[in-house]
């Protein structure tokens, strides 16, 4: 009986702790150009700043007029900043 109660309490503790793990992700703080900003000239780079450090990143940019997706030529990540460069 004691072993079953211990197992149940361990299970309950893990289930209560799991939702808190989802908060471990970084969230976007700002970007240049800004989110939803209309850009009319070709871009050389896009900079995104996060609220905490990130290890790596990927990005695809979509032209809202044509629907064309463009991937950057390179992506550099330094702590909380991701810079995507385009030719």
């Amino acid at each position: 009986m004691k072993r079953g109660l211990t197992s149940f309490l361990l299970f309950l503790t893990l289930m209560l702790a799991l939702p808190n793990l989802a908060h471990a992700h970084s969230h976007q703080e700002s970007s240049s150009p800004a989110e939803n900003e209309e850009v009319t000239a070709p871009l050389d780079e896009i900079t995104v700043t996060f609220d905490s450090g990130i290890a790596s990143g990927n990005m695809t940019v979509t032209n809202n007029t044509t629907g064309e997706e463009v991937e950057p030529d390179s992506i550099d990540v330094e702590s909380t900043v991701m810079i995507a460069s385009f030719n």
Side-chain angles (χ1 to χ4, degrees), residues 32-33 39 41-48 58-63 68-76 82-87:
S32 176
V39 179
L43 292 171
D44 292 328
E45 69 179 30
I46 296 174
T47 303
V48 183
N58 59 29
M59 178 185 300
T60 301
V61 178
T62 303
N63 181 323
E68 178 186 10
E69 290 187 351
V70 179
E71 293 193 24
D73 295 309
S74 67
I75 296 178
D76 296 314
M82 178 173 68
I83 301 170
S85 300
F86 301 86
N87 284 333

Side-chain angles (χ1 to χ4, degrees), residues 12 16 23-26 34-35 37-38 45 50 57 63 71 79:
L12 185 61
L16 291 173
H23 298 290
H25 297 285
S26 298
E35 187 173 354
E37 179 179 343
E38 186 173 321
E45 69 179 30
F50 296 89
N63 181 323
E71 293 193 24
S79 185

